[in-house]
Amino acid sequence: MNRRRFLSNTSALPVFGSLPGLWSRAAAAAGPQSDAPILVVVELTGGNDGLNMVIPYVDDAYHRARPTIGIAADKVLKLDDSMGLHPAMTGLRTQWDAGKLRVLMNVGYPRPSRSHTRAMEIWQSGDVAPLPTTGWLGRYSEITPERSPSCFVGPDSMPLAVRGRKVAPFALGDIKAMTLRPEAALTPIAGLAETSTPAGRVAKAMEAARSIADRVAAMRPDDATAGREGLEVKLAVIRRLIESGSGSRVYYTSLDGFDTHAGQEFAHQSLLGTLSKALARFQADLEASKLDDRVVVLVFSEFGRRLEENGSKGTDHGAAAPVLLLGSGVAGGLLGGPPDLRDLDEGDVRFTLDFRDLYASLLADWLGVDPTPVVGRGQEGRLHLFR
């Protein structure tokens, strides 16, 4: 949203100076609920192999099906007497030990799609109906118009998940976009303090933007990203936005590369190590900023992988898979039992937990809204996710 469009949407007003698009959108609700809960979503793009992320290490069927890429029981970071994390995920194992990681097993939906495009469409829309036009987080933003819209952090195109019909999300591809241009004029304007008028609402947004800009200006832009790369940088940008008081309740980002049809062993190990390190560092940064009680991270992928490894020492598209929740407010532990590897859905793990019940629980118990208009689910499938 540029300055001209911003002003045209709020009636004729005096000239305010230059307000960057990020702040014109984010500042609109920056003031209220400065201690409100925040959801950060990390998408694992490509179809993460859940069986090698959360490993049923005592199940002989797992080891028989994966003679090359299976993780030996003595290498697994054990969570209990049957399930464990990939050995590259030491950072998240530390979070598990601290009671801040919840692992939801066998998450999916009926008649699963094994197409990247369609499966991601289903997960991002929160609906199994064809041709969705809005995402579940976009619809959340539309029932909470008094708050700032969702924020996508990354260089890719805006994901469906945060798109709505009436509320436009905003995007950041670079931490430099958080810096106001030097010519920006954000001085409060006399006579526009009444927030019941369009002009007053703009004045309030301008004042909120000025406050955010002052806080961001007090930080060195390099502080958040020094010595970091990839997902760590994206999460550092999100943390800086939260610290600055942007007002958004939802942030979305992604980690690509999980379509491991061939040579999976080392590629997947690297990806899981990257994910684990980035999330553990993000949690530590939130704790240092005393923001950890406000933030929960959801980690999902569009589908899991098949039980049987293929002839290229990889895995093909599957169905249900684990989902991770991280945060100081999370009720740590496993939710749902190990996958039943003797009762498969066309060679894939069957779902026992519907992803829409997960979304409904996050909306109701963390973001504090009625999930029914967002995902069509009410109280009946609510999950115990938080302390």
Side-chain angles (χ1 to χ4, degrees), residues 39 41 123-126 133-152 158-170 249-252 359 363 367 369 373-375:
L39 176 66
V41 180
W123 274 87
Q124 290 196 15
S125 69
T133 57
T134 61
W136 73 286
L137 296 170
R139 294 192 297 276
Y140 160 75
S141 293
E142 291 185 341
I143 66 171
T144 56
E146 73 281 2
R147 299 168 185 155
S148 292
S150 302
C151 175
F152 169 63
M158 187 76 72
L160 172 66
V162 296
R163 296 181 191 170
R165 290 190 178 91
K166 300 176 183 177
V167 178
F170 62 91
R249 299 280 301 278
V250 171
Y251 297 87
Y252 195 102
Y359 287 177
L363 290 162
L367 294 175
V369 298
V374 180
V375 293

Coordinates of all heavy atoms in Angstrom, one line a residue, residues 39 41 123-126 133-152 158-170 249-252 359 363 367 369 373-375:
L39 N 1.4 -15.8 17.0 CA 1.6 -17.1 16.4 C 2.6 -16.8 15.2 O 2.4 -16.0 14.4 CB 0.3 -17.6 15.8 CG 0.5 -18.9 15.0 CD1 0.9 -20.1 15.9 CD2 -0.9 -19.3 14.3
V41 N 4.4 -19.0 12.1 CA 4.2 -20.2 11.4 C 5.4 -20.4 10.5 O 5.8 -19.5 9.8 CB 2.9 -20.2 10.5 CG1 2.8 -21.5 9.7 CG2 1.7 -19.9 11.4
W123 N -3.6 -27.2 3.2 CA -3.0 -26.8 4.5 C -3.1 -25.3 4.7 O -3.4 -24.8 5.8 CB -1.6 -27.3 4.6 CG -1.4 -28.6 5.1 CD1 -1.5 -29.8 4.4 CD2 -1.3 -29.0 6.5 NE1 -1.3 -30.9 5.2 CE2 -1.2 -30.4 6.5 CE3 -1.2 -28.3 7.7 CZ2 -1.0 -31.2 7.7 CZ3 -1.0 -29.1 8.9 CH2 -0.9 -30.4 8.9
Q124 N -2.8 -24.5 3.6 CA -2.8 -23.1 3.8 C -4.2 -22.5 3.8 O -4.4 -21.4 4.5 CB -2.0 -22.4 2.6 CG -0.5 -22.7 2.7 CD 0.3 -21.8 1.8 OE1 -0.2 -20.7 1.3 NE2 1.6 -22.1 1.6
S125 N -5.1 -23.1 3.2 CA -6.5 -22.5 3.2 C -7.2 -23.0 4.5 O -8.2 -22.3 4.9 CB -7.3 -23.0 2.0 OG -7.5 -24.4 2.0
G126 N -6.8 -24.1 5.0 CA -7.5 -24.6 6.2 C -8.8 -25.3 5.8 O -9.8 -25.4 6.6
T133 N -9.9 -19.3 -2.2 CA -9.4 -18.0 -2.5 C -8.8 -17.2 -1.3 O -8.3 -16.1 -1.5 CB -10.6 -17.1 -3.1 OG1 -11.7 -17.1 -2.1 CG2 -11.1 -17.7 -4.4
T134 N -9.0 -17.8 -0.1 CA -8.4 -17.1 1.1 C -7.8 -18.2 1.9 O -8.0 -19.4 1.8 CB -9.5 -16.5 1.9 OG1 -10.5 -17.4 2.3 CG2 -10.2 -15.4 1.1
G135 N -6.8 -17.7 2.8 CA -6.1 -18.6 3.7 C -6.7 -18.5 5.1 O -7.5 -17.6 5.4
W136 N -6.4 -19.5 5.9 CA -7.0 -19.6 7.2 C -6.5 -18.4 8.1 O -7.3 -17.8 8.9 CB -6.7 -20.9 7.9 CG -5.3 -21.2 8.4 CD1 -4.2 -21.5 7.6 CD2 -4.8 -21.2 9.7 NE1 -3.1 -21.7 8.4 CE2 -3.4 -21.5 9.7 CE3 -5.4 -21.0 11.0 CZ2 -2.7 -21.6 10.9 CZ3 -4.7 -21.1 12.1 CH2 -3.3 -21.4 12.1
L137 N -5.3 -18.0 7.9 CA -4.8 -16.8 8.7 C -5.3 -15.5 8.1 O -5.5 -14.5 8.8 CB -3.3 -16.8 8.7 CG -2.7 -18.0 9.5 CD1 -1.2 -18.1 9.3 CD2 -3.1 -18.0 10.9
G138 N -5.6 -15.5 6.8 CA -6.2 -14.3 6.2 C -7.6 -14.1 6.7 O -8.0 -13.0 7.0
R139 N -8.4 -15.2 6.9 CA -9.7 -15.1 7.4 C -9.7 -14.7 8.9 O -10.5 -14.0 9.4 CB -10.5 -16.5 7.2 CG -10.7 -16.8 5.8 CD -11.7 -17.9 5.6 NE -11.2 -19.2 6.1 CZ -10.5 -20.0 5.5 NH1 -10.0 -19.7 4.3 NH2 -10.1 -21.2 6.0
Y140 N -8.6 -15.2 9.6 CA -8.5 -14.8 11.0 C -8.3 -13.3 11.0 O -8.9 -12.6 11.9 CB -7.3 -15.5 11.6 CG -6.7 -14.7 12.8 CD1 -7.4 -14.7 14.1 CD2 -5.6 -13.9 12.7 CE1 -6.9 -14.0 15.1 CE2 -5.1 -13.2 13.8 CZ -5.8 -13.3 15.0 OH -5.3 -12.6 16.1
S141 N -7.5 -12.7 10.2 CA -7.3 -11.2 10.2 C -8.6 -10.5 9.9 O -8.8 -9.4 10.4 CB -6.2 -10.9 9.1 OG -4.9 -11.4 9.5
E142 N -9.4 -11.1 9.1 CA -10.7 -10.4 8.7 C -11.7 -10.4 9.8 O -12.6 -9.5 9.8 CB -11.2 -11.0 7.4 CG -10.4 -10.7 6.2 CD -10.9 -11.2 4.9 OE1 -11.8 -12.0 4.9 OE2 -10.5 -10.6 3.9
I143 N -11.6 -11.3 10.8 CA -12.5 -11.2 11.9 C -11.9 -10.5 13.1 O -12.5 -10.3 14.1 CB -13.0 -12.6 12.4 CG1 -11.8 -13.4 12.9 CG2 -13.7 -13.4 11.2 CD1 -12.3 -14.7 13.6
T144 N -10.7 -10.0 12.9 CA -10.0 -9.1 13.9 C -9.5 -7.9 13.2 O -8.3 -7.6 13.3 CB -8.9 -9.9 14.6 OG1 -8.0 -10.3 13.6 CG2 -9.4 -11.1 15.4
P145 N -10.4 -7.1 12.5 CA -9.9 -5.9 11.8 C -9.2 -4.8 12.6 O -8.5 -4.0 12.0 CB -11.2 -5.4 11.1 CG -12.3 -5.9 12.0 CD -11.8 -7.2 12.5
E146 N -9.5 -4.8 13.9 CA -8.9 -3.8 14.7 C -7.4 -4.0 14.9 O -6.7 -3.2 15.5 CB -9.6 -3.8 16.1 CG -9.3 -4.9 17.1 CD -10.0 -6.2 16.7 OE1 -10.8 -6.2 15.7 OE2 -9.9 -7.2 17.5
R147 N -6.9 -5.2 14.6 CA -5.5 -5.5 14.7 C -4.7 -5.4 13.4 O -5.3 -5.4 12.3 CB -5.3 -6.9 15.3 CG -6.0 -7.1 16.6 CD -6.1 -8.6 17.0 NE -6.8 -8.7 18.3 CZ -7.5 -9.8 18.6 NH1 -7.5 -10.8 17.8 NH2 -8.1 -9.8 19.8
S148 N -3.4 -5.3 13.5 CA -2.6 -5.3 12.3 C -2.7 -6.6 11.5 O -2.9 -7.6 12.1 CB -1.1 -5.0 12.6 OG -1.0 -3.7 13.2
P149 N -2.6 -6.5 10.2 CA -2.7 -7.7 9.4 C -1.5 -8.6 9.6 O -0.5 -8.2 10.2 CB -2.7 -7.2 7.9 CG -2.1 -5.9 8.0 CD -2.4 -5.3 9.3
S150 N -1.6 -9.8 9.1 CA -0.5 -10.8 9.2 C 0.7 -10.3 8.4 O 0.6 -9.5 7.4 CB -1.0 -12.1 8.6 OG -2.1 -12.6 9.3
C151 N 1.9 -10.8 8.7 CA 3.1 -10.5 8.1 C 3.8 -11.7 7.5 O 4.0 -12.7 8.3 CB 4.0 -9.7 9.0 SG 5.7 -9.3 8.4
F152 N 4.2 -11.7 6.3 CA 5.0 -12.7 5.7 C 6.4 -12.2 5.5 O 6.7 -11.1 5.0 CB 4.5 -13.1 4.3 CG 5.4 -14.0 3.5 CD1 5.7 -15.3 3.9 CD2 5.9 -13.6 2.3 CE1 6.5 -16.1 3.2 CE2 6.8 -14.4 1.6 CZ 7.1 -15.7 2.0
M158 N 3.6 -14.0 -1.8 CA 2.8 -14.1 -0.7 C 2.0 -15.4 -0.6 O 1.3 -15.7 -1.5 CB 1.8 -12.9 -0.7 CG 1.0 -12.8 0.6 SD 1.9 -12.0 1.9 CE 2.0 -10.3 1.4
P159 N 2.1 -16.2 0.5 CA 1.4 -17.4 0.5 C -0.1 -17.3 0.7 O -0.5 -16.3 1.3 CB 2.1 -18.1 1.8 CG 2.6 -17.0 2.6 CD 3.0 -15.9 1.7
L160 N -0.8 -18.2 0.2 CA -2.3 -18.2 0.4 C -2.7 -18.1 1.8 O -3.7 -17.5 2.1 CB -2.8 -19.5 -0.3 CG -4.3 -19.8 -0.1 CD1 -5.2 -18.7 -0.8 CD2 -4.7 -21.2 -0.6
A161 N -1.9 -18.7 2.7 CA -2.3 -18.8 4.1 C -2.7 -17.5 4.7 O -3.6 -17.4 5.5 CB -1.2 -19.5 4.9
V162 N -2.0 -16.4 4.3 CA -2.2 -15.1 5.0 C -3.1 -14.2 4.1 O -3.3 -13.0 4.5 CB -0.9 -14.4 5.3 CG1 -0.1 -15.2 6.3 CG2 -0.1 -14.2 4.0
R163 N -3.6 -14.7 3.0 CA -4.4 -13.8 2.1 C -5.9 -13.9 2.6 O -6.4 -14.9 2.9 CB -4.3 -14.3 0.7 CG -2.9 -14.2 0.1 CD -3.0 -14.6 -1.4 NE -1.6 -14.8 -1.9 CZ -1.3 -15.3 -3.0 NH1 -2.3 -15.8 -3.8 NH2 -0.1 -15.4 -3.5
G164 N -6.5 -12.7 2.5 CA -7.9 -12.6 2.8 C -8.6 -11.8 1.7 O -7.9 -11.4 0.7
R165 N -9.9 -11.6 1.8 CA -10.6 -10.8 0.8 C -10.5 -9.3 1.0 O -10.5 -8.5 0.1 CB -12.1 -11.2 0.7 CG -12.3 -12.6 0.1 CD -13.7 -12.9 -0.2 NE -14.0 -14.2 -0.7 CZ -14.2 -15.3 -0.1 NH1 -14.2 -15.3 1.3 NH2 -14.4 -16.5 -0.7
K166 N -10.5 -8.9 2.3 CA -10.7 -7.5 2.7 C -9.4 -7.0 3.4 O -9.2 -5.8 3.4 CB -11.9 -7.3 3.6 CG -13.2 -7.8 2.9 CD -14.3 -7.6 3.9 CE -15.6 -8.1 3.3 NZ -16.8 -8.0 4.3
V167 N -8.6 -7.8 4.0 CA -7.5 -7.4 4.7 C -6.2 -7.9 4.0 O -6.0 -9.1 3.8 CB -7.5 -7.9 6.2 CG1 -6.2 -7.5 6.9 CG2 -8.7 -7.4 6.9
A168 N -5.4 -6.9 3.6 CA -4.2 -7.3 2.9 C -3.0 -7.5 3.9 O -2.7 -6.6 4.7 CB -3.8 -6.2 1.9
P169 N -2.4 -8.7 3.8 CA -1.2 -8.9 4.6 C 0.0 -8.0 4.1 O -0.1 -7.5 3.0 CB -0.9 -10.4 4.4 CG -1.4 -10.7 3.1 CD -2.6 -9.8 2.9
F170 N 1.0 -7.9 4.9 CA 2.2 -7.2 4.3 C 3.4 -8.2 4.3 O 3.4 -9.2 5.0 CB 2.5 -5.9 5.1 CG 2.8 -6.0 6.5 CD1 4.1 -6.2 7.0 CD2 1.8 -6.0 7.5 CE1 4.4 -6.3 8.3 CE2 2.1 -6.1 8.8 CZ 3.4 -6.2 9.3
R249 N -0.3 -10.1 15.0 CA -0.5 -11.2 15.8 C 0.0 -12.5 15.1 O 0.2 -13.5 15.8 CB -2.0 -11.4 16.2 CG -2.6 -10.3 17.0 CD -2.2 -10.4 18.5 NE -2.6 -11.6 19.1 CZ -3.8 -11.8 19.6 NH1 -4.8 -10.9 19.5 NH2 -4.1 -13.0 20.2
V250 N 0.2 -12.4 13.8 CA 0.6 -13.6 13.0 C 1.8 -13.3 12.1 O 1.7 -12.3 11.4 CB -0.6 -14.1 12.2 CG1 -0.1 -15.2 11.2 CG2 -1.7 -14.7 13.1
Y251 N 2.8 -14.1 12.1 CA 3.9 -14.0 11.2 C 4.1 -15.4 10.5 O 4.0 -16.4 11.1 CB 5.2 -13.6 12.0 CG 5.1 -12.3 12.7 CD1 4.6 -12.2 13.9 CD2 5.6 -11.1 12.0 CE1 4.5 -10.9 14.5 CE2 5.5 -9.9 12.6 CZ 4.9 -9.8 13.9 OH 4.8 -8.6 14.5
Y252 N 4.5 -15.3 9.3 CA 4.6 -16.5 8.4 C 5.9 -16.5 7.7 O 6.3 -15.5 7.1 CB 3.5 -16.6 7.5 CG 3.2 -17.9 6.8 CD1 2.1 -18.7 7.2 CD2 4.0 -18.4 5.7 CE1 1.9 -19.9 6.6 CE2 3.7 -19.6 5.1 CZ 2.6 -20.3 5.6 OH 2.4 -21.5 4.9
Y359 N -5.8 -26.3 13.9 CA -6.0 -24.8 13.7 C -7.1 -24.3 14.6 O -6.9 -23.2 15.1 CB -6.4 -24.6 12.2 CG -5.4 -24.8 11.2 CD1 -5.7 -24.7 9.8 CD2 -4.0 -25.1 11.5 CE1 -4.7 -24.9 8.8 CE2 -3.1 -25.3 10.5 CZ -3.4 -25.2 9.2 OH -2.4 -25.3 8.2
L363 N -6.5 -21.1 17.2 CA -7.3 -19.9 17.1 C -8.1 -19.7 18.4 O -8.1 -18.5 18.9 CB -8.4 -20.1 16.0 CG -7.8 -20.1 14.6 CD1 -8.7 -20.6 13.5 CD2 -7.4 -18.6 14.2
L367 N -5.0 -17.6 20.0 CA -5.3 -16.3 19.5 C -6.6 -15.7 20.0 O -6.9 -14.5 19.8 CB -5.3 -16.4 17.9 CG -3.9 -16.7 17.3 CD1 -4.1 -16.9 15.8 CD2 -2.9 -15.6 17.6
V369 N -10.0 -16.4 19.4 CA -11.1 -16.1 18.6 C -12.0 -17.3 18.4 O -11.5 -18.4 18.6 CB -10.7 -15.5 17.2 CG1 -10.0 -14.2 17.4 CG2 -9.9 -16.5 16.4
P373 N -15.9 -19.5 12.1 CA -15.9 -18.8 10.8 C -14.6 -18.9 10.1 O -14.6 -18.5 8.9 CB -16.2 -17.3 11.2 CG -15.8 -17.2 12.6 CD -16.0 -18.5 13.3
V374 N -13.6 -19.3 10.7 CA -12.2 -19.4 10.1 C -12.0 -20.8 9.5 O -11.6 -20.9 8.3 CB -11.1 -19.1 11.1 CG1 -9.8 -19.2 10.4 CG2 -11.3 -17.7 11.7
V375 N -12.2 -21.9 10.3 CA -12.0 -23.2 9.8 C -13.2 -24.1 9.9 O -13.1 -25.4 9.7 CB -10.8 -23.8 10.5 CG1 -9.5 -23.1 10.1 CG2 -11.0 -23.9 12.0

